[in-house]
Amino acid sequence: MATVDDTAADSLIRVSESITAIEESIVTTNGGLDVFYLLFAGTMVFFMQAGFAMLCAGSIRMKNVKNIMLKNILDACGGAVGFWTVGYAFAYGGSDASKITFIGNADFALLNVHDGASLIGWFFQFAFAATAATIVAGTVAERCKFEAYIAYSLMLTGFVYPVVVHSIWSSSGFLSAFTDDKLFGSGMIDFAGSGVVHMTGGATALFAAKILGPRIGRFYDAEGRELPEPIIFPPHSVPLQAIGTFILWVGWYGFNPGSTLGISTSGYADVAALCTLNTTLAAASGSVSALFTDSLLERRRTGETMYDITMCMNGALSGLVGITAGCSVVEPWAALVIGIIAGWVYICWSSLLVKLKIDDAVDAVPVHFGNGIWGCIATGLFASPGLVDAAYGTPNYGLFYNWGNGNGKLFAVEIFGVLFIIGWVGLIMIPYFFLMNALGIFRVDAIEEEVGLDIAHHKGSAYDLTQYDE
């Protein structure tokens, strides 16, 4: 017969087994929750491709709509193949917090990756890579050859962008906040990619636009003579621009909060919620800032008060780019300030490009490159001690919180990161664009540009206007 002690022991064993089973179930559930969270956030980021497509299509002339839409679709296709084959491996392959490497060297084509967490991580990161490539397409719209677009898009998503990711987001990156040997004891804080994604894409767009040259009739006439005043090519569809802007704004709620890369861990939900609030405030303040600042400048120039919806839309996008780096580490009041300044940064960069006669068809460089820089700098200024500790566990924070003690380590790393991104992108992409230009595969023929790329390359216009001719 079983004794009381035996019965008690059996009960304890069963209770222990039940507790173990419950703990395993919680771990499994939390893992599944994190996978679903990244699936949702990654889908939101991927849906931003639709926003870029609408915004770009609306911003250019009717004769080139098919061309830019096709390029936006192929950004996703090329980005998927390129990031699967080599991009992800260069970005994260072989990451080890105990050593610093320049580039990843494992997991090519995800051959040894089978768990759900890693696979969904690839999907989320692929969506970011496709975003970086899409930024360039809008800037060089209406005059870039299709084969040149394919060539630079693959180079960007397969090599240039992954090296930036590895340096800043991988645990083996020399600028990473996740490595054991952090630069200046801090590492660069770029939570969702003001520098990694937007500066990389924006810098590539800037170099491409400068080397490719402006559209015919923008700054020079057909004979190459400088025009007295730059010609503005009006957008063919403001509704498409507005729809695209709203889609991008919505997609940013996957971009920034989703960069927690999970939701089940204690504290992650609080970080994601803060990111959501800061993203909203920066977008709203950036939009209002750009709109009314431009109106005031217009009133000073002409004596009339006009409200430009383009400023409103691009101001919102500028605020979104500006808050992306520091959305997890700045207070809401700082997000509002960052957005306001982002609107001014956009106006200044847009004017600067015109003065330099650099033709950006959709003003992507001011939005993404100019405010990508500002987003990184703003993080070095406004990062709050408590929020940095909660999100990164490091003792370094914004310069505005360090008056008197001389600790500007985070600010210094942010500046260093900005310079690294510009230098690395320029080192690879400037010779690459010059080579394509020398080979005659970068720019379309002048006649094709005048006729429109839709008719020249895509079997006709995007719109059937025959009914209006009858």
Side-chain angles (χ1 to χ4, degrees), residues 229-264:
E229 291 290 334
I231 300 299
I232 297 175
F233 299 135
H236 95 275
S237 176
V238 174
L240 282 181
Q241 287 181 298
I243 291 170
T245 301
F246 273 120
I247 291 175
L248 288 171
W249 189 336
V250 171
W252 238 283
Y253 292 123
F255 209 97
N256 287 358
S259 291
T260 58
L261 304 182
I263 199 68
S264 66

Side-chain angles (χ1 to χ4, degrees), residues 33 54 96 110 159 193 197 229 249 268 287 296 395 406 445 454:
L33 180 62
M54 294 296 100
D96 184 346
L110 301 181
F159 181 59
V197 180
E229 291 290 334
W249 189 336
Y268 278 29
S287 179
L296 291 173
D445 181 82
D454 289 356

Side-chain angles (χ1 to χ4, degrees), residues 122-135:
W122 173 88
F123 170 68
F124 187 72
Q125 297 299 333
F126 140 71
F128 276 56
T131 298
T134 302
I135 292 168

Side-chain angles (χ1 to χ4, degrees), residues 111-171:
L111 290 178
N112 298 314
V113 178
H114 305 290
D115 63 287
S118 297
L119 294 175
I120 200 65
W122 173 88
F123 170 68
F124 187 72
Q125 297 299 333
F126 140 71
F128 276 56
T131 298
T134 302
I135 292 168
V136 188
T139 294
V140 297
E142 301 195 302
R143 75 267 199 205
C144 180
K145 278 191 174 181
F146 191 71
E147 53 265 41
Y149 156 77
I150 295 292
Y152 78 67
S153 184
L154 289 174
M155 173 63 80
L156 181 61
T157 57
F159 181 59
V160 177
Y161 170 77
V163 169
V164 178
V165 172
H166 186 84
S167 300
I168 298 173
W169 283 346
S170 164
S171 60

Side-chain angles (χ1 to χ4, degrees), residues 410-426:
L410 176 60
F411 183 76
V413 175
E414 298 296 316
I415 296 296
F416 194 88
V418 167
L419 296 176
F420 164 71
I421 294 171
I422 296 172
W424 168 248
V425 174

